[in-house]
């Protein structure tokens, strides 16, 4: 079994070109525009505050949060994805557009400044080398006191995946959390879970899939 999350032979610039092509080569949206279910479930239980959306794509999660009173920073590597996020926020109304900011980052190199009540990392998985543990450590440090880092990964092969290898290894939530080496006096795991749900892919196919959920609360500033 192998972890197919990374291809270390590819340069960071190639990753940027790859993800830009994912969006720029299609005139229509790549994703549905609906918020990811686990993000919606989590955010509904929290009062609106400041949010950071890592790997925000076309802004489904970020705009949904902004529409519900959150002040949101949406981060992606692809300029076309960020442009679509801005357009989606404008379409959602003036209030949402005013509460949303977009920033282009290659998270392997740079990370947005600020402190956040909610940091959302949905499916931050890629066919390129990505120092996920380091990124999530930085995200944990960017939480405000009482803030929550929500990591949701693919926990099973999707039929529509760019890498539908049945031998793909998906780390358990405990592995992902333990790899961060966080001080338990400052952070605690609030949810380590592998729920199943029915999902619909970009091509309209449906399948039962497993998500890997790691939710981390910052206890102190």
């Amino acid at each position: 079994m192998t972890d197919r999350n990374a291809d270390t032979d590819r340069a960071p610039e190639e990753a940027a070109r790859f993800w830009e092509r994912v969006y720029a080569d299609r005139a229509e949206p790549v994703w549905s525009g609906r918020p990811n279910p686990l993000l919606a479930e989590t955010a509904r239980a929290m009062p609106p505050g400041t949010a950071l959306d890592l790997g925000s794509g076309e802004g489904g999660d970020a705009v949904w949060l902004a529409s519900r009173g959150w002040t949101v920073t949406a981060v992606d590597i692809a300029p076309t994805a960020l442009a679509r996020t801005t357009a989606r926020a404008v379409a959602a109304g003036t209030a949402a557009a005013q509460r949303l900011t977009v920033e282009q980052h290659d998270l392997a190199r740079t990370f947005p400044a600020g402190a956040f009540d909610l940091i959302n990392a949905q499916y931050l998985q890629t066919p390129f080398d990505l120092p996920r543990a380091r990124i999530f450590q930085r995200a944990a440090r960017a939480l405000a006191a009482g803030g929550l880092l929500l990591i949701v990964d693919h926990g099973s092969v999707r039929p529509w995946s760019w890498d539908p290898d049945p031998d793909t290894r998906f780390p358990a939530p405990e592995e992902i959390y333990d790899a961060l080496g966080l001080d338990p006096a400052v952070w605690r795991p609030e949810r380590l879970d592998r729920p199943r749900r029915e999902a619909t892919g970009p091509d309209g196919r449906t399948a039962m899939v497993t998500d890997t959920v790691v939710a981390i609360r910052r206890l102190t500033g």
Side-chain angles (χ1 to χ4, degrees):
M1 302 280 282
T2 58
D3 184 349
R4 298 293 296 274
N5 185 63
D7 182 342
T8 56
D9 293 332
R10 292 171 173 171
E13 291 76 13
E14 187 176 349
R17 290 193 295 270
F18 171 86
W19 286 111
E20 175 61 11
R21 287 197 303 270
V22 166
Y23 297 102
D25 287 354
R26 293 181 58 169
E28 69 279 7
V30 174
W31 310 112
S32 70
R34 296 186 297 272
N36 282 294
L38 288 160
L39 177 275
E41 173 190 315
T42 300
R44 286 190 181 105
M46 300 175 65
T50 54
L52 173 63
D53 191 12
L54 300 176
S56 55
E58 293 164 316
D61 286 349
V63 175
W64 184 87
L65 287 167
S67 298
R68 281 152 182 79
W70 291 80
T71 300
V72 184
T73 301
V75 170
D76 203 274
I77 197 171
T80 295
L82 294 173
R84 291 180 182 176
T85 296
T86 299
R88 187 182 298 276
V90 170
T94 302
Q98 290 177 340
R99 286 193 288 263
L100 186 140
T101 302
V102 299
E103 294 185 14
Q104 184 181 359
H105 288 271
D106 176 348
L107 292 170
R109 296 176 167 183
T110 61
F111 196 89
F116 304 91
D117 300 305
L118 173 63
I119 299 180
N120 182 45
Q122 298 278 326
Y123 311 110
L124 197 64
Q125 294 164 289
T126 172
F128 299 91
D129 188 31
L130 188 68
R132 280 167 37 97
R134 190 175 78 220
I135 292 167
F136 293 149
Q137 287 166 347
R138 294 186 74 174
R141 291 194 295 269
L143 289 170
L148 187 74
L149 167 59
L150 177 65
I151 302 166
V152 180
D153 282 353
H154 296 304
S156 63
V157 174
R158 271 68 168 160
W160 50 82
S161 171
W162 41 257
D163 184 13
D165 184 347
D167 293 328
T168 298
R169 180 182 179 275
F170 297 96
E174 293 81 5
E175 288 181 74
I176 296 170
Y177 176 74
D178 289 345
L180 304 185
L182 298 175
D183 183 347
V186 181
W187 296 273
R188 71 163 181 236
E190 196 155 280
R191 182 179 181 184
L192 301 174
D193 197 8
R194 297 191 69 188
R196 285 180 58 79
R197 63 183 174 87
E198 184 175 77
T200 303
D203 59 2
R205 281 183 291 173
T206 61
M208 291 300 298
V209 302
T210 300
D211 290 315
T212 301
V213 182
V214 178
I216 300 166
R217 181 77 64 183
R218 181 160 190 163
L219 305 175
T220 63

